Amino acid sequence: MRLKQSKSTTRTFVLCSALVLGIASSVATAAESVGNTTEIDHALLWGRDIDQISAVMAVKLGFQVRPGRSAAGVANRYVRMADRSYLELFGILRADAELDPGMQADQASLRGGAGSRTFGLRSSILDQTHKFLQQQAFVPTPIFTASLTDPDGDGPARPPRWRLFAFEPQPLSSHLFFIDYAALDATPGRVSDERIAPQHPNGAQAVTGLWLLSSDADADRRQFERMGLAGATPVRIPQIAAQGYCVPMGEKRVLALQPDGPGVAAQALHSGGRQILGLSIAVADIGLAKRRVERGYETELASYRGLLGEAFLASTQSDLGLLIEFHASSQAVACAKAPG
């Protein structure tokens, strides 16, 4: 009798162990799929008003700013890159503007000022990513879609132009959403727009990095890892006195940073709280880009060797509420260690 019980107990243990291992393997596979199919899509950048932010981006920094729409008292415009990444610019047109929950959250932090608190990651497996994040105990919202009568879509008989979900509560120090887009008909107008939109006087080619600032960089790193966005490496950015982690997103990266003593990062966190402190932009010719920005701001700017090679910081904090780092286009790995 004892022998039979022992065999039964052993069999149960083996079955339970196999089940646990199977679940762990399934979770690891799902996490890997999310990590392999997620990339930086865009950041939302608020100006004090839409004309102010458009002028700064175009005149001082040398970007081409493309028209957007005006709806319910909020206007948007775009800075689109050749690799599909972009910046979405916002400005409030009137005091009674109707803001969606994400806009309300941004404005509660910005209090009418300029800056960025929200970014989007593109997922080509949006439904699977949504399910995986639920299983990981995050609380994603339902998946929202563009209106079927969206003037920039293909009409009510076709898939919505975009689909996205956010989180409630938010898992990171800055607001995050996941988004994907439908393949639209290649009309002559769209073909022309896609050819023209990425042509920037400053030579910009891609949004290659987002800099998240908080008082606890490791908390953001751990949350990214739970999302399947693993492989973070320690980094330090002496130019702004910040340290933290570089989280790879394909060939790009999100930096989770915290202040490393007195300096730009500490001042920004003190005055504005958790935020997107900076953006990294790859340019075709770093020398020409630097000269254009120096002319725009009428000041000389220092060059340095950063995470992605030769770079410089534009003097944009007072205008845009964040920093823009321009760096030379390269084939550097996503989270290479900075020199020194």
Side-chain angles (χ1 to χ4, degrees), residues 190-221:
R190 286 175 181 154
V191 171
S192 295
D193 285 344
E194 289 178 5
R195 185 174 68 250
I196 295 169
Q199 298 178 10
H200 298 283
N202 62 12
Q205 297 179 322
V207 179
T208 56
L210 304 172
W211 305 8
L212 311 187
L213 177 67
S214 73
S215 60
D216 189 350
D218 193 54
D220 276 346
R221 179 199 63 79

Side-chain angles (χ1 to χ4, degrees), residues 141-156:
T141 66
I143 294 178
F144 300 104
T145 68
S147 169
L148 294 179
T149 58
D150 183 342
D152 296 316
D154 281 337

Side-chain angles (χ1 to χ4, degrees), residues 304-321:
Y304 59 89
R305 292 288 298 180
L307 300 178
L308 296 170
E310 187 179 0
F312 70 92
L313 281 174
S315 310
T316 53
Q317 267 191 305
S318 60
D319 286 332
L320 301 179

